[in-house]
Amino acid sequence: MRCNVKFIRVAGITLAALLAACGGESEAPTLTVIGSMSSVKTARAQPLYERILAALLPAARAQVMAGGATALKMRFYTLHASPNADCTSPILIADNGAAGVELNLADSPVLFRSSPPAGTYRCLIIKASDLMKITPDDDAPAPPCTHGVELTKDLYRAPDTDYKDLAGTPITAHGTDAVPAGDTVYFFASTDTASVTSASPNQTVPMSGALVVPGATTFYLDPSGSVTSTGGIPAYCSLEGGRMGFR
């Protein structure tokens, strides 16, 4: 294809447009994956009964999942996709590099943007760090949860070995609730999680429907009502029972 560079300059078209018009590598992405802290399009408000219970029974707060978060950060590395609900034959469709990218899901960030082959994908696989940085909101039970003070949650802890990588090899977990340690893990999202036999049920999450490319989807990790104080010596603040998936 020939390009009229003089015309391009007069029209004020950008370099990206010039490359696209000339058959260059710059192309508009056909898939965008957004991050969110809500499993629904409108964030869940804490029910009144939870607020009353947390206020009336402060001694029992360690047993009540009443808090949420104002920020939730994770590090994301790669995104694979498969047309099969059992997640077989996945292809790499986005890569954030060896260091990955840490993003705050509260900001509704773009986790991945790419141009995979057009089609219908029933499985998405995210490679991410198992460490989450959580900032409790003012409903989180305290102590030791502190409103506005960031804490680190280790999702996959020793002595667990049930998580697997893309090749089906078990991943050895490190760290504890009290002393987190980072591992690189995979989350397998499928329209039929029961069919994903190549991964542990603990690392499979739901997709509300198949992803059609070109298109967009939202990965959510919803901490509402799940930030709680855990008893023991020492006690620690944790995220228990949060919801994860694609919508």
Side-chain angles (χ1 to χ4, degrees):
M1 175 185 293
R2 295 186 59 189
C3 295
N4 189 330
V5 177
K6 182 176 181 181
F7 173 79
I8 293 292
R9 288 175 177 171
V10 171
I13 297 177
T14 65
L15 177 60
L18 173 62
L19 289 172
C22 294
E25 295 182 356
S26 178
E27 296 179 1
T30 59
L31 171 65
T32 302
V33 179
I34 304 295
S36 175
M37 286 207 315
S38 177
S39 55
V40 294
K41 291 186 178 180
T42 301
R44 169 189 178 272
Q46 188 186 29
L48 179 60
Y49 79 87
E50 286 186 2
R51 293 175 180 269
I52 294 174
L53 186 59
L56 294 179
L57 301 176
R61 286 179 127 188
Q63 307 301 321
V64 179
M65 293 184 183
T70 58
L72 198 161
K73 300 174 184 176
M74 287 186 69
R75 185 169 297 276
F76 298 90
Y77 295 97
T78 62
L79 178 68
H80 286 74
S82 169
N84 309 312
D86 61 3
C87 297
T88 54
S89 304
I91 61 171
L92 177 66
I93 59 175
D95 191 339
N96 287 335
V101 177
E102 184 180 78
L103 297 167
N104 182 3
L105 298 185
D107 296 333
S108 299
V110 173
L111 307 184
F112 302 100
R113 180 178 281 130
S114 67
S115 299
T120 299
Y121 296 91
R122 296 173 178 82
C123 170
L124 297 175
I125 305 169
I126 285 183
K127 179 182 179 182
S129 170
D130 73 331
L131 296 182
M132 290 190 306
K133 296 178 181 179
I134 307 164
T135 303
D137 63 18
D138 57 3
D139 291 319
C145 298
T146 303
H147 170 54
V149 177
E150 185 177 84
L151 63 102
T152 299
K153 168 68 175 177
D154 193 333
L155 290 177
Y156 183 55
R157 306 175 295 276
D160 293 341
T161 57
D162 60 316
Y163 276 28
K164 299 177 182 178
D165 62 17
L166 283 178
T169 304
I171 299 171
T172 300
H174 301 87
T176 64
D177 276 318
V179 185
D183 294 301
T184 301
V185 297
Y186 294 81
F187 299 106
F188 291 74
S190 172
T191 55
D192 180 11
T193 55
S195 70
V196 187
T197 58
S198 59
S200 164
N202 292 325
Q203 67 183 125
T204 57
V205 297
M207 288 176 63
S208 60
L211 173 65
V212 178
V213 174
T217 188
T218 297
F219 169 78
Y220 66 84
L221 205 165
D222 190 338
S224 57
S226 300
V227 177
T228 183
S229 294
T230 301
I233 301 175
Y236 52 88
C237 188
S238 185
L239 175 69
E240 302 295 340
R243 292 162 293 281
M244 182 188 295
F246 280 86
R247 60 170 171 80

